[in-house]
Amino acid sequence: MIRRSWMTVAAAALMTTALLSACGRESDAEDDDAVAAEISDGPATGEVTIWAQGTEGEALQDFLAPFEAENPDVDITVTAVPWDSAQNKYQTAVAGGTTPDIGMLGTDWMPTFREALQPTPEGIDTSGMFPFSVGTTDLGGTHYGVPWYVETRLIFYRVDLMQAAGFDTFPTDWEGLRELARAYQANGAEYAISLPSGGWNSFLSILPFVWSNNGEVMNAEQTEWTFDTPEMAGALEFVAGFFTEGLANPNPDTETGSVASRFVDGSVPMFLSGPWDVPGLLTAGGPEFADKFAVARIPAAPGGTSTSFAAGANLVVFDNAENADAAWKVIQWLSQPEVQVEWFRTVNDLPAQQAAWEDSALTQDPKVSVFGEQLENVKTPPALTAWPEVSAAADTQLEQVVRGGKDPATALAELQATADSLGTGE
């Protein structure tokens, strides 16, 4: 998944899948036998084109200045692409043979674009990166692309209001989270926590509670969907309980910045999000607000463990790249731990290289270091082409539970039937 705007729309993902199947490599069998190119010796030369989304796309051109200084015969052009049009833009480029050399793909986009990518050269070492992030590049036994940054979800909470409500520390289990929510509301909060209640990727946002209750969406072999289980039902009932009790708003304001605004004014003192929200909250609340909030790991269910959602973005080289050799050299440079630390300082992206987490930039600020702790226990959605459609069906069922009062067990039974009918897409 992707920071700030996690995907475009389900239809776009499905259309892309069909299109790439038609215009990519001839078959999965051929794809599995794809041979990775070798990176040549010497500096990068020639023109390299890159598409990158959001803040990354806006900052990357200037950030690459040191690489261009080290490689004076290379000319890099970065095009910033809006998140909401990115999938369609890549889709159109693949169909027309006009892709850039390098693209920035969300980890959950990888199966969709598999047929249009070059395998990763063996000369690029990913052994020091988070295993889950490297796993998102493994498609059918062949790696495509390199992890650029990672992300996970934590609970942002108001420390000052928590203490005023009678809690000294943030709870580590479900019952404690519920009791804190009640205390926040009793102490004046309109709603205690902002939770997904429907809409695109809402089900994805509650997966940390599923995983922290020992639930899974698929079996270990990724051959069967596992929605209709006691663990999944327990997680859905736990989340739905916040809405039933009035601790969460089933119809929240979806305007950009509304969650941050209500967090700063204290009317909703908890929400789930990623590291990109830290700078925005400091800007919205002012310098003095830094001591008023913190982030905490996902509370665990009884008998469960604190497990959160992991995502991020990978840098890939497209099949028809005009300068693949130089493109891989750019990616190789961006993959260095020290470069990823500087990238974190630039845009607040969490490094995929684990060695980068030893730098003081990531260890001294508890609002950052807790993300590193959570990254030690995370999971990712299934790397299957059917996932976008299954996830969309799960979004619908979650909305019917939260906003329509549907029985969670009934919703999950129907979701299981839908997922079974869709299969895995492989």
Side-chain angles (χ1 to χ4, degrees), residues 5 15 54 111 128-129 133 156-157 171 181 185 207 214-215 228 244 319 357-358 370 380:
S5 179
M15 287 171 61
M129 294 183 171
S133 64
F156 285 65
Y157 67 99
Q185 196 170 58
L207 280 180
N214 299 319
D228 194 7
T244 302
D319 254 347
W357 286 85
E358 300 173 5
V370 177
T380 60

Side-chain angles (χ1 to χ4, degrees), residues 282-363:
L282 294 175
T283 299
E288 70 281 357
F289 192 63
D291 295 331
K292 294 183 179 181
F293 79 98
V295 293
R297 296 181 60 170
I298 301 297
T305 60
S306 171
T307 306
S308 192
F309 171 88
N314 300 328
L315 293 173
V316 301
V317 174
F318 286 96
D319 254 347
N320 61 349
E322 295 184 3
N323 193 355
D325 185 68
W328 284 119
K329 289 177 179 177
V330 172
I331 293 175
Q332 189 173 42
W333 183 80
L334 288 168
S335 300
Q336 297 176 87
E338 61 272 20
V339 174
Q340 293 205 343
V341 170
E342 289 305 312
W343 186 238
F344 166 76
R345 290 192 174 105
T346 303
V347 297
N348 227 52
D349 280 348
L350 302 180
Q353 286 281 10
Q354 291 175 287
W357 286 85
E358 300 173 5
D359 191 276
S360 60
L362 291 111
T363 60

Side-chain angles (χ1 to χ4, degrees), residues 25-35 114-115 140 142 144:
R25 300 184 181 89
E26 292 182 0
S27 68
D28 284 349
E30 181 181 347
D31 181 65
D32 290 340
D33 295 335
V35 178
R114 169 183 177 178
E115 303 291 338
T142 301
Y144 299 88

Side-chain angles (χ1 to χ4, degrees), residues 2-4 52-60 79-84 86 104 347:
I2 304 168
R3 53 182 282 166
R4 296 180 181 86
Q53 292 82 263
T55 303
E56 289 76 12
E58 297 167 0
L60 185 57
T79 299
V81 180
W83 273 117
D84 59 4
M104 168 186 166
V347 297

Side-chain angles (χ1 to χ4, degrees), residues 393-417:
D395 293 339
T396 299
Q397 293 292 350
L398 175 62
E399 184 170 358
Q400 291 175 359
V401 169
V402 172
R403 296 177 179 172
K406 191 173 189 176
D407 175 58
T410 301
L412 291 173
E414 292 178 3
L415 177 58
Q416 182 72 50

Side-chain angles (χ1 to χ4, degrees), residues 5 9-10 29 52 65 76 86 140 149 156 160 175 183 207 225-226 228 239 244 258 281 294 330 351 356 378 380:
S5 179
V9 292
I76 302 174
Y149 66 80
F156 285 65
D160 55 341
E175 186 56 35
L207 280 180
W225 300 100
T226 56
D228 194 7
V239 172
T244 302
S258 62
L281 291 173
V330 172
V378 292
T380 60

